[in-house]
Amino acid sequence: MGVRSASFRWCSTVSSFLVASTTSALAVNSSQEGWCFITEGPENGGLGNCSRRLSSGTGCRPSCGEGYEADGLASCESGNLSMPMCMPMGCNVTELLEELDLGVGDCPERLESGDSCQPVCAMPGQEPDSNLTCSFGNLTAPACFRSELPMTTTFRPQCEPGFSLQGSEGCQPCTFATYRGGRGSEPCVECPAGSNTSLSSSPWTSVRDCACDLQHYELQNKSGELVACIPCPNNSFVQSARGTSLRDCGCREGYVRVPANTELPLQLCREPNPCNLSSWLPKLTGPEDSQLKLGSCAVFEANSSLLPHGEACRVECNSGFGAQNGTDIFGAPDLTIACQDGEFVRKPPLGTWCSKDAWEIPPLVFLSMTTAVTLVSGIGIEWRQWHFERNCKRALWGNPDSPSSKS
């Protein structure tokens, strides 16, 4: 009897952290008048019966690709959109076993995607040639064969867990990213897409030996076994040993998180924006002596007027002129312009201009103050010296100012 396959849908509830981990670049929330705007469906799915806009308090059902099913409805609450995930479909085992006239064996009523079990054959003296396996809603059933081998049948060695029969080479360890449990001669099973086996844990005997790479986080069943590897958003990676939700994904260095609020699920990681110098510099710079000059910003002004993220430049006054803000000739405003993700984090205040007074007067005032301080300090030193000598005379000869001490 050949191998037959059947597909059955099943419904289950996934833990709340998977609901929070709605996929990257799936949907964008808008709080405008409580509406939610949907740009894309969930990962491995589409919009289904969802319109592009949902009013607060309503919901819709997105669609999922073949072998996946949504774990709930999309809903909008006060402008906050909650989008379900498309999860790998499980399989209804009971119906298939009845159809194929197979006994339950150690099989449950349902198998989750990636799991397998061992049924029993109904006819005495027969054994199944493989396990019953569920993969994305599809069941792969074994065939039954007589356990009494004829004389012409070649004996097939039974390999230990983590090994498979490799022709004339006999039992060999499962290759990288594959595993096999139990004794037998069946081939090794591939790990879920996006996952690999660890070199330090060979031989690999179960799906627990498979782990997603840094570009994916793990979708696990209720037993904590890996079911599928879900990709992190572009330009992000899993920042923990074995990520199990979207919250374990973080942006690569040099990229900006969207949204910036780390309490919200990561949607995407984008390159930082430059700052547009042309939107601000013309308000302060010009050809007159009283106007600021481009200084080191000239090279950026000539290059599309864009100051790259993380860069800084400096405007300046002509020689013999100093910068001042309004009428304040002593303020010495900062002439540095610095850009961080499209925002000027340092720049001269509006009203900054160049004058000769700001160049000449502050040094004169500083020199005068220094001279005055030096003079006062000198007088203080002389007074302390006189006071010290007077106290010494009093200690030696009494009051030096009395008539007896002068005679």
Side-chain angles (χ1 to χ4, degrees):
M1 179 170 57
V3 176
R4 301 176 59 186
S5 299
S7 300
F8 301 89
R9 297 178 62 87
W10 63 277
C11 299
S12 64
T13 302
V14 182
S15 55
S16 58
F17 75 89
L18 290 177
V19 175
S21 59
T22 52
T23 58
S24 63
L26 303 183
V28 177
N29 293 349
S30 172
S31 60
Q32 181 181 1
E33 299 181 357
W35 290 93
C36 298
F37 294 87
I38 305 177
T39 58
E40 295 183 46
E43 183 79 19
N44 300 311
L47 292 178
N49 66 357
C50 296
S51 61
R52 293 290 182 178
R53 187 174 69 169
L54 283 179
S55 61
S56 180
T58 62
C60 62
R61 183 179 297 278
S63 60
C64 292
E66 184 178 357
Y68 291 85
E69 62 180 0
D71 63 350
L73 298 176
S75 62
C76 178
E77 291 293 334
S78 301
N80 294 315
L81 178 68
S82 177
M83 181 67 70
M85 290 187 63
C86 286
M87 298 176 52
M89 294 176 59
C91 306
N92 190 323
V93 176
T94 304
E95 294 182 9
L96 182 65
L97 293 180
E98 293 175 354
E99 180 182 343
L100 298 180
D101 196 22
L102 291 172
V104 173
D106 64 356
C107 295
E109 292 184 2
R110 291 185 178 86
L111 281 178
E112 296 187 15
S113 182
D115 288 348
S116 62
C117 64
Q118 181 70 64
V120 295
C121 296
M123 294 294 294
Q126 290 189 341
E127 295 180 359
D129 61 354
S130 63
N131 289 337
L132 182 66
T133 304
C134 175
S135 177
F136 293 92
N138 296 315
L139 277 170
T140 302
C144 291
F145 67 97
R146 286 188 173 276
S147 58
E148 298 84 12
L149 299 177
M151 295 299 294
T152 56
T153 301
T154 303
F155 174 74
R156 303 182 70 185
Q158 299 295 295
C159 299
E160 295 294 327
F163 293 78
S164 66
L165 187 61
Q166 302 292 329
S168 60
E169 298 179 1
C171 295
Q172 297 294 321
C174 291
T175 58
F176 190 61
T178 65
Y179 65 92
R180 196 183 71 78
R183 287 177 53 85
S185 57
E186 298 84 4
C188 297
V189 181
E190 292 185 359
C191 290
S195 67
N196 294 309
T197 46
S198 172
L199 294 176
S200 61
S201 62
S202 178
W204 306 301
T205 59
S206 75
V207 71
R208 293 181 182 273
D209 294 321
C210 302
C212 298
D213 57 33
L214 291 179
Q215 282 69 48
H216 298 77
Y217 63 91
E218 297 185 1
L219 177 63
Q220 298 179 347
N221 59 22
K222 295 180 180 179
S223 301
E225 295 178 335
L226 176 64
V227 175
C229 294
I230 309 300
C232 289
N234 288 342
N235 303 315
S236 69
F237 66 99
V238 174
Q239 297 184 329
S240 58
R242 293 186 71 164
T244 56
S245 74
L246 181 59
R247 294 188 181 276
D248 294 318
C249 298
C251 293
R252 297 186 182 277
E253 184 177 358
Y255 288 86
V256 179
R257 189 186 197 278
V258 178
N261 186 354
T262 56
E263 296 298 322
L264 299 176
L266 175 66
Q267 295 179 5
L268 58 93
C269 298
R270 61 171 176 81
E271 293 184 353
N273 295 319
C275 296
N276 189 353
L277 291 173
S278 63
S279 66
W280 184 78
L281 275 182
K283 300 176 183 178
L284 294 176
T285 59
E288 302 296 331
D289 286 339
S290 61
Q291 293 177 304
L292 292 168
K293 302 301 178 285
L294 293 177
S296 62
C297 298
V299 62
F300 301 107
E301 179 70 13
N303 184 21
S304 303
S305 299
L306 296 179
L307 181 64
H309 163 78
E311 294 285 348
C313 63
R314 184 177 174 84
V315 293
E316 59 187 26
C317 292
N318 280 337
S319 178
F321 288 78
Q324 69 178 74
N325 183 19
T327 59
D328 182 8
I329 63 174
F330 299 103
D334 185 7
L335 301 183
T336 301
I337 302 174
C339 175
Q340 289 290 333
D341 190 27
E343 298 290 336
F344 292 110
V345 294
R346 290 177 64 186
K347 62 181 180 180
L350 289 176
T352 301
W353 60 292
C354 301
S355 70
K356 287 188 176 181
D357 289 343
W359 174 263
E360 296 172 349
I361 295 178
L364 294 177
V365 172
F366 175 77
L367 180 60
S368 300
M369 292 179 63
T370 303
T371 302
V373 170
T374 303
L375 180 61
V376 171
S377 298
I379 293 174
I381 292 172
E382 289 292 333
W383 182 85
R384 286 195 297 271
Q385 180 67 26
W386 174 84
H387 190 68
F388 174 75
E389 292 177 355
R390 188 168 178 271
N391 288 337
C392 288
K393 290 179 180 179
R394 283 179 176 178
L396 295 174
W397 303 302
N399 188 354
D401 297 327
S402 66
S404 61
S405 63
K406 294 180 180 180
S407 58

